[in-house]
Amino acid sequence: MSDSDGYFGAEVAARYDDVHSPMFELTTVTATVDVLARLAGDSAVLELGIGTGRIALPLAERGVSVHGIELSQAMVDQLRAKPGGEAIPVTVGDFATTRVDAPPGGFGLAYLVFNTINNLTSQDDQVACFRTTAEHLAPGGRFVVEVGVPELRRLPYGETTVMWGEGPPVWSYDVYDTATQALSSNYVRIDDGHATFRSIPFRYVWPAELDLMARLAGLRLRSRWEDWDERPFTHESRRHVSVWEKPTEGHVERTTGIEPA
Ligand SMILES: C[S@@+](CC[C@H](N)C(=O)[O-])C[C@H]1O[C@@H](n2cnc3c(N)ncnc32)[C@H](O)[C@@H]1O
């Protein structure tokens, strides 16, 4: 694995699309693409962490012009090997800071799905991601993030670990550090008696903190749903799809609700 590929090196990239997860089911992908295509309208869109094109390829098939940013060349190689994958422009780099050539006026939509905001492991990097994305957007453009609500309610007092996948062949668990918002997802895989262990570091983040990051970047919340079917976000929701908007020129944001004298 090349170090620059991060946690998605050649071996992981080669197996990425074979994972048995609802995220790869046609109904999930179609619901995701339906929302993104509607929000995009006629505008060009930018996917942060485009990966192997799970969402970008079906979105491009709908006629949407998709650009991508991706850290892992190995993931881009997998994208390139798929029908239509060669046609999607991808800039290899860190989406917290990487600038791409936006179409005149900017992108109408940027999106960051599948918990990938959590791959940025510091608050500074997550804030930078919102700033960089906002700079890519046209006035009126939207930024969509899909991410889980931190599962701290599943932690008994004094515990740090939440089990979420029971094999065989893979046992998966998350470890939370509530002092730092550090989170790791850990995978023990046993094949023919041979065990391998993989651990990925994340930073979990609350919806309200994301709203503040968006405000620092000059964006404002437009919608928050529980899922791509746009069910309402409630205290029981385990994840959210949030949409922030870059105000159009001339728009004055009221932050206090108090009218000037
Ligand atoms: C969970 S996968 C999601 C891929 C794709 N968006 C999807 O929905 O299937 C996360 C992807 O984000 C990429 N990634 C993680 N951190 C990144 C960063 N800081 N900059 C660019 N890409 C990053 C990984 O290499 C990986 O391809």
Side-chain angles (χ1 to χ4, degrees):
M1 161 181 152
S2 153
D3 280 350
S4 58
D5 285 341
Y7 292 87
F8 291 81
E11 217 177 291
V12 174
R15 281 190 274 115
Y16 181 79
D17 292 296
D18 299 333
V19 171
H20 296 288
S21 147
M23 297 300 277
F24 291 84
E25 284 171 12
L26 185 61
T27 46
T28 309
V29 171
T30 303
T32 307
V33 170
D34 282 349
V35 171
L36 295 174
R38 191 188 76 228
L39 292 174
D42 294 334
S43 64
V45 310
L46 177 65
E47 177 165 1
L48 312 183
I50 191 169
T52 62
R54 182 183 67 97
I55 300 302
L57 284 170
L59 190 57
E61 275 168 23
R62 302 263 187 110
V64 177
S65 166
V66 184
H67 297 233
I69 300 178
E70 172 56 53
L71 199 62
S72 163
Q73 183 61 53
M75 292 292 271
V76 178
D77 292 344
Q78 294 294 325
L79 166 68
R80 294 283 180 247
K82 295 180 182 178
E86 284 291 349
I88 297 182
V90 178
T91 305
V92 173
D94 179 348
F95 56 61
T97 49
T98 299
R99 297 299 313 247
V100 309
D101 286 336
F107 290 99
L109 175 72
Y111 63 94
L112 177 53
V113 296
F114 206 165
N115 298 322
T116 304
I117 183 78
N118 290 349
N119 285 64
L120 298 173
T121 54
S122 73
Q123 189 186 53
D124 279 351
D125 283 350
Q126 292 178 349
V127 167
C129 171
F130 272 82
R131 285 223 166 97
T132 305
T133 303
E135 285 165 15
H136 279 103
L137 290 177
R142 315 271 172 84
F143 182 32
V144 177
V145 171
E146 173 195 33
V147 62
V149 175
E151 302 238 88
L152 301 192
R153 286 168 65 190
R154 293 184 62 195
L155 282 180
Y157 191 72
E159 300 291 330
T160 58
T161 304
V162 171
M163 193 81 196
W164 56 269
E166 289 185 42
V170 184
W171 285 260
S172 329
Y173 60 94
D174 287 345
V175 179
Y176 288 86
D177 180 343
T178 54
T180 62
Q181 291 185 213
L183 160 71
S184 67
S185 288
N186 303 277
Y187 306 87
V188 177
R189 185 182 176 100
I190 302 182
D191 295 298
D192 300 327
H194 174 72
T196 50
F197 175 67
R198 181 167 172 247
S199 181
I200 307 182
F202 297 103
R203 178 180 189 271
Y204 68 80
V205 61
W206 300 98
E209 190 184 3
L210 291 172
D211 288 341
L212 207 49
M213 292 181 190
R215 284 177 75 145
L216 289 172
L219 307 176
R220 59 190 171 146
L221 184 67
R222 281 297 303 260
S223 309
R224 172 160 292 136
W225 306 302
E226 175 174 288
D227 55 22
W228 296 102
D229 293 325
E230 303 178 34
R231 292 192 183 90
F233 180 74
T234 73
H235 68 288
E236 293 296 354
S237 299
R238 295 180 64 183
R239 65 180 174 141
H240 59 105
V241 175
S242 296
V243 185
W244 296 274
E245 185 180 76
K246 181 167 177 167
T248 49
E249 265 135 44
H251 170 88
V252 178
E253 185 73 3
R254 263 206 280 143
T255 55
T256 61
I258 300 169
E259 296 294 342

